[in-house]
Amino acid sequence: IAGISPELRCVYTTGQGSRTAKFLLYHFNERIAKYSPDMLILIFGGNDILFYSEEEYKKYLSEIFNRMSREFPDCRIVTITIPESAKIKDEIRGIKISSDEDHNLIVDKYNKVLEKLSEENNALCIKQKEVFSGVSPDVWRYDNVHLSKIGNDMMYEQIRKIL
């Protein structure tokens, strides 16, 4: 990411596994605000599916966008959708998951929330499904969810192209 700009920039990675939009909202000051960002890349949602309804996810994301708009109006925001993946749970919040297709239908609903909010807030939205189209998940993922080194390199190239 640091190589995107010709100027010297500081890059802070404040993400942490197993976190949600609600977590980021509640820890906004320590994870985002203290760095006064001029660009913010948000990649989460997979854990939100496990704990929050679409409406709750939308509420937390909306508040993150609202705070960014109020506190850092010139900050450029890039969002990255949840990847489709093989079924990792038999049930998500009481919904029976019997196939990859069932899981991906849920992922698509949450991605639509992120895409709509990104558009409404002038954020660039990168769709993982498009970035990794035609590439075996074994190449770009290492644990059926998270990006591998190759997946991260591919995502970097996508971000670099659109900025």
Side-chain angles (χ1 to χ4, degrees):
I1 298 297
I4 289 176
S5 173
E7 301 173 26
L8 181 61
R9 300 280 182 180
C10 292
V11 176
Y12 301 98
T13 55
T14 64
Q16 184 178 351
S18 302
R19 299 298 183 238
T20 62
K22 181 179 180 181
F23 174 87
L24 184 60
L25 178 60
Y26 290 142
H27 297 274
F28 186 89
N29 290 334
E30 70 185 70
R31 298 287 175 142
I32 298 174
K34 80 177 196 178
Y35 300 105
S36 299
D38 56 9
M39 183 169 89
L40 176 66
I41 299 173
L42 294 173
I43 178 170
F44 55 67
N47 293 315
D48 294 273
I49 287 173
L50 301 175
F51 301 107
Y52 305 112
S53 69
E54 292 165 60
E55 294 77 25
E56 291 170 306
Y57 179 57
K58 180 179 179 180
K59 178 180 83 171
Y60 300 133
L61 278 177
S62 293
E63 188 53 33
I64 290 168
F65 277 115
N66 289 339
R67 285 199 65 185
M68 288 301 297
S69 177
R70 284 191 313 268
E71 298 177 34
F72 307 102
D74 296 325
C75 180
R76 189 161 200 189
I77 300 174
V78 177
T79 60
I80 301 173
T81 61
I82 307 163
E84 288 189 341
S85 62
K87 178 174 77 93
I88 56 173
K89 299 271 185 188
D90 290 328
E91 186 177 302
I92 296 176
R93 291 179 292 86
I95 301 168
K96 185 78 173 150
I97 306 298
S98 57
S99 67
D100 294 353
E101 290 77 24
D102 288 347
H103 180 265
N104 290 336
L105 286 173
I106 294 172
V107 167
D108 287 343
K109 289 178 183 179
Y110 281 73
N111 281 342
K112 284 184 184 2
V113 169
L114 180 62
E115 291 166 20
K116 186 172 189 303
L117 286 171
S118 295
E119 183 178 337
E120 290 172 359
N121 290 279
N122 298 313
L124 296 170
C125 184
I126 297 174
K127 300 172 184 169
Q128 287 201 50
K129 188 176 185 175
E130 293 173 8
V131 173
F132 300 118
S133 176
V135 180
S136 170
D138 294 336
V139 172
W140 60 269
R141 290 191 308 221
Y142 72 86
D143 65 353
N144 198 39
V145 176
H146 300 97
L147 299 180
S148 66
K149 167 79 170 94
I150 292 170
N152 275 304
D153 289 345
M154 292 173 70
M155 187 59 67
Y156 165 79
E157 287 301 322
Q158 185 67 30
I159 293 169
R160 193 176 64 77
K161 277 192 274 186
I162 64 172
L163 293 179

